[in-house]
């Protein structure tokens, strides 16, 4: 460090010298009004015993960049310089960029702040094997399902007064976060810890590299899917898949410290209470109205259940959802986005609070996930809870069971990527109208429909199953099983020639096909040498007689809030 750097470091926090350049959308280090400004530093080298880490007076690892920059050589002839003009971003886009992971328990966004010193933050992250329970990691061109797990494990400084003494930790707070394929909306589905479920067998990697299968168990609380019998987060992932039919792409785990340190780092978040609360169990004591909370008070807020609602876990879930919405709003506010000090603290405490799966074991991967989530508008993030009922087997109600009349529709809506909020899609209206028009018009009799059925990705035997159903139940006698399609399809399609539109409309009606599944094209010749339409069963096929029309509206749920709204707990 040169003399100028030493002189300033004694009086000013290095983080306070980073300011946002409105012309580039990047942070720059300003030493003095006349001093040259440096760009955002790149990855710093890991600390070694021979090169001890320097620490700023505030305790935050010092950001590199206070050395004199060497003059960069001119690029060779014909080669473009690495320094390119930066296109000015709009304020709205900057906000979305920096608030990327606020939806994922806000921890992903914290990790996205690692732009400032990526290499250092990698060492903060703890990862564990996903044991093959996930999809293998999120994809940028697909919908994302992220499982967020909050554990009550007591480890960590300041946590001695919480949780059960000697507990290995439970899956006490659980949110399945679904982000739509087009990133226009997301659903945060809370899973009650006291929901009775079946925990499946869980192959689990051991410390010596071997795999042990931890036996499953039936009719137990959901929170026992973690910690009990040496179960790891991958077992919670398997339990979610067993319960919902949705396989998470990744998971994240946070303990008590995550709530305390994150709220301290952003300077507190605002929550609202509809009545005075003095809860002896959680130690929350707040009056009716709006309060800014952080640290121990924030933790007490998300742990409170006896003094709100009906005093159970479902009431606590509503407090947790309100808290996450408030934390998300604070992260996306200008007071956070324009403060380099806060961003550095967020990056530091966020990565230290995380335990992630082996597919998210670097700040680069977390950043990529955060940027995907940053495309989402907060008003289109819906918080809701799995529909449940009091356990009828209990005289004193302590657990809940799945509401079989409502929950399957919620799970299916998430599988079908249906938003729980009204979202304006960018699809051209003309394209929508054209798809809808294919279903309108005259229909032939079922006995006149001539169709070849191909299996293009459905379960084995689906073509024959459909053939039998059409012939025996629907009267489509001129149908035949044409075997496997040349390639697999994600969606079932029905191709037909213009003069076969009436046959196609009849078959679409019987199958429950949408207009988008109908593909005007040409007819083919069946085994008898006669023209026929072609039905190709895709991976979305769920069985003969099961409608393939994707709902455009999510089912009604008992509770629902969006992240942009402030609600007062009662």
């Amino acid at each position: 460090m040169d003399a100028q750097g030493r002189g300033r470091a004694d009086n000013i926090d290095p983080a306070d010298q980073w300011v946002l350049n409105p012309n580039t959308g990047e942070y720059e280090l300003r030493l003095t009004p006349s001093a040259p400004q440096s760009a955002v530093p790149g990855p710093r080298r890991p600390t070694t015993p021979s090169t001890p880490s320097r620490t700023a007076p505030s305790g935050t690892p010092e950001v590199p960049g206070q050395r004199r920059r060497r003059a960069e050589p001119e690029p060779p002839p014909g080669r473009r310089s690495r320094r390119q003009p930066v296109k000015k971003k709009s304020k709205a886009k900057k906000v979305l960029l920096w608030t990327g992971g606020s939806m994922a328990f806000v921890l992903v966004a914290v990790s996205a702040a690692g732009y400032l010193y990526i290499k250092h933050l990698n060492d903060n992250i703890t990862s564990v094997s996903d044991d093959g329970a996930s999809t293998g990691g999120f994809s940028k061109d697909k919908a994302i399902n992220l499982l967020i797990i909050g554990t009550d494990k007591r480890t960590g400084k300041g946590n001695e007064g919480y949780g059960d003494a000697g507990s290995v930790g439970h899956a006490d707070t659980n949110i399945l976060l679904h982000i739509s394929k087009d990133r226009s909306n997301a659903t945060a589905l809370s899973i009650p810890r006291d929901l009775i479920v079946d925990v499946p067998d869980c192959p689990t990697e051991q410390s010596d590299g071997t795999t042990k299968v931890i036996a499953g168990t039936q009719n137990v609380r959901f929170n026992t899917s973690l910690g009990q019998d040496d179960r790891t987060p991958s077992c919670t992932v398997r339990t979610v898949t067993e319960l919902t039919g949705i396989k998470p792409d990744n998971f994240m785990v946070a303990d008590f410290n995550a709530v305390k340190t994150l709220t301290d780092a952003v300077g507190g978040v605002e929550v609202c209470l509809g009545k005075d609360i003095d809860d002896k169990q959680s130690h929350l004591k707040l009056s009716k109205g709006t309060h800014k909370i952080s640290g121990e008070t924030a933790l007490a807020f998300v742990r409170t259940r006896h003094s709100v609602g009906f005093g159970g876990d479902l009431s606590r879930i509503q407090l947790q959802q309100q808290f996450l919405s408030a934390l998300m709003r604070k992260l996306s506010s200008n007071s956070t986005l324009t403060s380099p000090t806060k961003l550095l603290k967020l990056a530091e405490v966020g990565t230290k609070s995380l335990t992630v799966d082996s597919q998210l074991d670097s700040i680069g991967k977390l950043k990529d996930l955060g940027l995907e989530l940053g495309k989402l508008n907060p008003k289109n993030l819906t918080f809701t809870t799995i529909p449940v009922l009091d356990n009828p087997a209990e005289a004193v109600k302590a657990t809940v069971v799945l509401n079989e009349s409502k929950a399957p529709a919620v799970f299916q809506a998430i599988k079908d990527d249906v938003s729980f909020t009204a979202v304006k899609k960018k699809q051209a209206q003309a394209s929508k109208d054209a798809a809808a028009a294919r279903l309108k018009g005259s229909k032939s009799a079922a006995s006149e429909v001539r169709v070849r059925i191909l299996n293009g990705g459905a379960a084995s035997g689906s073509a024959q199953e459909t053939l039998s159903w059409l012939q025996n139940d629907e009267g489509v006698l001129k149908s035949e099983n044409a075997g496997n399609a040349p390639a697999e399809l994600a969606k079932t399609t029905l191709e037909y020639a213009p003069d076969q539109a009436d046959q196609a409309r009849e078959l679409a009606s019987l199958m429950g096909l949408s207009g988008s599944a109908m593909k005007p094209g040409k007819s083919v010749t069946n085994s008898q040498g006669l023209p026929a339409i072609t039905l190709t069963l895709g991976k979305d096929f769920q069985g003969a007689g099961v409608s393939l029309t994707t709902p455009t509206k999510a089912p009604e749920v008992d509770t629902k809030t969006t992240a942009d709204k402030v609600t007062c707990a009662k």
Side-chain angles (χ1 to χ4, degrees), residues 309-505:
F310 295 104
D313 185 49
L314 296 180
S315 300
R316 174 165 52 191
I317 284 175
Q318 293 182 30
L319 286 181
Q320 293 169 349
Q321 292 175 347
Q322 181 192 161
F323 171 80
L324 292 176
S325 295
L327 187 51
M328 172 185 162
R329 291 193 298 273
K330 187 59 178 287
L331 276 172
S332 61
S333 67
N334 284 336
S335 64
T336 300
L337 295 173
T338 58
S339 171
T341 301
K342 286 184 179 179
L343 290 175
L344 285 170
K345 289 179 180 177
L346 282 168
E348 196 72 29
V349 303
T351 50
K352 286 182 178 179
S353 300
L354 280 173
T355 296
V356 298
D357 69 80
S358 46
Q359 310 298 329
L360 282 178
D361 59 356
S362 73
I363 200 68
K365 294 176 182 178
L366 287 169
K367 178 207 69 176
D368 288 342
L369 177 57
L371 292 178
E372 289 302 303
L373 300 180
K375 300 172 184 177
L376 177 68
N377 189 322
K379 70 179 182 180
N380 294 328
L381 167 61
T382 302
F383 286 95
T384 189
T385 305
I386 289 180
V388 295
L389 300 169
D390 286 333
N391 191 343
E394 297 174 336
V396 178
K397 306 304 180 185
T399 62
V400 293
V401 295
L402 206 63
N403 186 332
E404 296 291 353
S405 66
K406 293 183 177 181
V410 173
F411 300 153
Q412 192 61 49
I414 292 176
K415 291 179 189 177
D416 292 335
D417 208 16
V418 178
S419 175
F420 280 73
T421 58
V423 180
K424 293 182 178 180
K425 300 288 185 176
K426 295 182 179 180
Q427 180 182 2
Q429 189 61 44
S431 176
K432 290 183 180 179
D433 294 342
R438 294 169 195 152
L439 296 172
K440 298 178 180 179
S442 60
K443 301 175 184 176
S444 68
S447 59
E448 297 302 316
V449 175
R450 185 179 288 109
V451 57
R452 297 171 70 247
I453 306 168
L454 297 171
N455 190 330
S460 178
S462 293
Q464 185 59 42
E465 177 191 359
T466 302
L467 176 66
S468 299
W469 173 72
L470 287 174
Q471 291 183 342
N472 299 329
D473 297 351
E474 303 299 333
V476 183
L477 303 179
K478 299 177 182 179
S479 51
E480 65 180 31
N481 181 352
N484 292 327
E488 291 189 351
L489 301 178
K491 301 288 185 180
T492 296
T493 62
L494 178 59
E495 185 176 4
Y496 57 95
D499 60 351
Q500 297 171 316
D502 54 348
Q503 295 183 50
R505 284 190 287 266

Side-chain angles (χ1 to χ4, degrees), residues 126-134 147-151 153 168-171 174 199 202-205 214 222-228 230-241 248 250-254 354-358:
T126 300
S127 66
V128 295
S129 175
D130 72 345
D131 296 314
S134 70
L147 181 62
I148 313 300
I149 305 170
T151 176
K153 195 171 183 179
V168 292
H170 304 79
N174 308 279
V199 176
C202 298
T204 307
E205 182 179 315
I214 301 175
F222 182 91
N223 67 350
T224 61
S225 64
L226 175 65
Q228 310 309 298
D230 296 326
R231 295 187 180 111
T232 65
S234 68
C235 196
T236 305
V237 171
R238 294 185 194 277
T239 305
V240 169
T241 303
N250 298 100
F251 65 76
M252 292 181 175
V253 184
L354 280 173
T355 296
V356 298
D357 69 80
S358 46

Side-chain angles (χ1 to χ4, degrees), residues 33 43 55 70 74 87 174 191 299 378 417 516 546 570:
T55 304
R70 296 179 180 178
E74 291 294 325
K87 183 178 180 180
N174 308 279
I191 305 173
L299 179 57
D417 208 16
S516 61
V546 180
K570 297 181 180 180

Side-chain angles (χ1 to χ4, degrees), residues 275-331:
K275 63 179 181 180
D276 296 342
I277 288 183
D278 187 359
D279 192 305
K280 304 302 181 184
Q281 282 76 22
S282 69
H283 309 296
L284 179 68
K285 186 175 182 178
L286 291 175
S287 60
K288 176 181 177 180
T290 301
H291 298 270
K292 179 180 285 189
I293 61 174
S294 62
E296 296 290 341
T297 304
L299 179 57
F301 184 86
V302 299
R303 294 183 67 244
T304 295
R305 62 186 175 98
H306 296 287
S307 300
V308 292
F310 295 104
D313 185 49
L314 296 180
S315 300
R316 174 165 52 191
I317 284 175
Q318 293 182 30
L319 286 181
Q320 293 169 349
Q321 292 175 347
Q322 181 192 161
F323 171 80
L324 292 176
S325 295
L327 187 51
M328 172 185 162
R329 291 193 298 273
K330 187 59 178 287
L331 276 172

